[in-house]
Amino acid sequence: MACAATAGLLLTSCSTVEQSDSGASAESDYANEAAQKVVDRALAEFEPTDFPTSSPAAAEDKTLVIVSCYQAAAGCARISAGALEAAEAIGWKAKVVDGQGDPNLQNSALEQAITEKADAVLLAAVEYPVVASTVERVRKAGIHVVSVGTTGEASEDGVEYFSTAPGEKIGEVMAAWVTLATAGNGNIGYFSDRSFAASDAYETGFRDGIKQYCENCSEAFTTSFSATEIGTTLPARVKGSLQSHPDVNMVYAAYDGAVGAMVPAMHEISSTAPLVGFDGNLQSLDFIREGNTQVATMATALEWAAWGGVDALNRLLNGEEPVPSTPAYRLLTKDNLPPDGQSYTGDTDYRAAYRELWQAG
């Protein structure tokens, strides 16, 4: 299994070779200057270029309702935890309501925010289209709404600000890395969940990047799933798809929240295909560190994005427009992981920076 999980393999075989920083096989003469340039930049520490430099005062005596897409999904839980932490830092009362992947529950949570006369709502990876009409009622009640971890068009009567990393760019970076790791001959099995705007953007960017960088890469299959199926039907689909396509030499996971169910399923069928994912959740970083199937992730500092969402709400509560700020993202392999036990939260102390802004305001 350790042999199967090393990015520095000739991925059609099971012989361990020395791994380069890019993940390309040291046994291969393959070179791709364009892909290498993208990968080298993405492996380096993230340097924010649009972080706010000023802020209004922290709005006082405010209540925040955080509506989570699905607390059982690590990405949603990370955003919720970051928003709770930021709310405490700015001095607000806050609570998390678990939407459990159910649009009915997510809409009910928004209705409850109206009943409770909350001041603000933060959507944690809740897809806007499924709650749009309820959000309009929330806005008519004078409650400000931002979304973290999804994309969309901000509006006065809907979600007023979206805090997220550039999904298509993130997908493109992973495509460049896969191109190098497979020496330009990837046969990729896709496990796809395009119901989330973020994961849809990842996959769009990845597929476009494969076309751009990897002329000889191919698609072995695409198996679709949803977040609520991760603990139920996804493992069986993983086993069935990979058993039907034993020549796959790279597995694409829509997001790291699914990987915890995928890796044991791959063990059961002795699959030797390495896997890549997105978000940089703690479990996936452990898999990469241990050499256990997953070999890379495009990590996003989801907690940072949540703090950015709270900052946007504070500006709105002060009658100002939100200031766009991109949360950190970085390509992580075994060579540049954060310390054991820590998920990827960025390469600068954004918490201290936001606290200083809010106090200075």
Side-chain angles (χ1 to χ4, degrees):
M1 185 55 63
C3 161
T6 302
L9 298 180
L10 287 175
L11 296 171
T12 54
S13 70
C14 197
S15 58
T16 303
V17 298
E18 182 181 354
Q19 183 180 354
S20 70
D21 288 340
S22 69
S25 169
E27 288 185 357
S28 172
D29 293 329
Y30 178 80
N32 184 314
E33 185 176 349
Q36 189 70 60
K37 183 177 180 179
V38 169
V39 167
D40 288 345
R41 186 165 55 244
L43 286 167
E45 291 187 357
F46 179 88
E47 296 182 6
T49 59
D50 58 357
F51 198 87
T53 57
S54 63
S55 171
E60 296 181 354
D61 300 322
K62 301 302 180 182
T63 58
L64 170 65
V65 175
I66 303 157
V67 182
S68 170
C69 58
Y70 190 31
Q71 282 294 94
C76 301
R78 286 177 60 198
I79 294 171
S80 298
L84 273 177
E85 184 182 50
E88 180 180 0
I90 204 169
W92 299 348
K93 294 180 181 179
K95 70 174 184 178
V96 175
V97 182
D98 187 359
Q100 300 181 34
D102 183 344
N104 292 324
L105 292 177
Q106 294 163 6
N107 280 285
S108 294
L110 289 168
E111 296 284 4
Q112 188 63 30
I114 298 174
T115 301
E116 295 176 357
K117 298 182 179 179
D119 296 295
V121 167
L122 186 145
L123 301 175
V126 173
E127 294 303 303
Y128 181 47
V130 304
V131 295
S133 60
T134 311
V135 167
E136 288 182 11
R137 291 196 290 277
V138 171
R139 289 292 300 117
K140 286 179 181 177
I143 301 170
H144 291 288
V145 182
V146 303
S147 179
V148 176
T150 62
T151 59
E153 190 72 30
S155 67
E156 177 62 28
D157 58 355
V159 170
E160 299 165 89
Y161 177 74
F162 290 86
S163 177
T164 188
E168 291 191 15
K169 178 61 180 177
I170 285 171
E172 179 194 342
V173 170
M174 184 58 80
W177 188 87
V178 166
T179 298
L180 298 176
T182 61
N185 287 288
N187 187 29
I188 304 163
Y190 290 83
F191 290 93
S192 168
D193 181 359
R194 305 197 79 153
S195 64
F196 291 111
S199 56
D200 180 65
Y202 294 158
E203 187 168 336
T204 296
F206 182 87
R207 288 181 180 272
D208 288 347
I210 288 295
K211 291 178 183 177
Q212 179 178 353
Y213 301 116
C214 197
E215 182 178 342
N216 294 324
C217 282
S218 58
E219 176 184 341
F221 63 83
T222 296
T223 297
S224 297
F225 68 95
S226 67
T228 56
E229 296 170 318
I230 290 172
T232 55
T233 61
L234 178 59
R237 294 183 196 180
V238 169
K239 290 186 283 187
S241 296
L242 291 175
Q243 285 177 320
S244 299
H245 299 86
D247 56 343
V248 164
N249 63 14
M250 185 63 70
V251 174
Y252 173 101
Y255 40 77
D256 286 345
V259 174
M262 295 176 65
V263 167
M266 293 172 68
H267 288 184
E268 288 182 26
I269 60 172
S270 301
S271 172
T272 61
L275 177 150
V276 296
F278 299 84
D279 291 341
N281 296 340
L282 184 59
Q283 185 180 41
S284 283
L285 302 188
D286 288 341
F287 284 148
I288 296 169
R289 182 176 289 105
E290 296 160 3
N292 184 2
T293 308
Q294 188 165 0
V295 291
T297 184
M298 275 303 300
T300 299
L302 297 175
E303 297 84 355
W304 179 329
W307 280 64
V310 170
D311 181 72
L313 285 169
N314 184 56
R315 294 172 191 275
L316 290 165
L317 287 163
N318 276 283
E320 297 187 8
E321 291 297 315
V323 175
S325 179
T326 304
Y329 59 95
R330 189 177 182 186
L331 174 61
L332 297 180
T333 68
K334 198 168 185 177
D335 295 328
N336 66 338
L337 294 173
D340 192 5
Q342 295 183 24
S343 60
Y344 177 72
T345 58
D347 304 296
T348 58
D349 192 350
Y350 65 89
R351 293 180 176 92
Y354 274 122
R355 286 192 178 101
E356 183 176 350
L357 279 175
W358 296 334
Q359 290 173 1

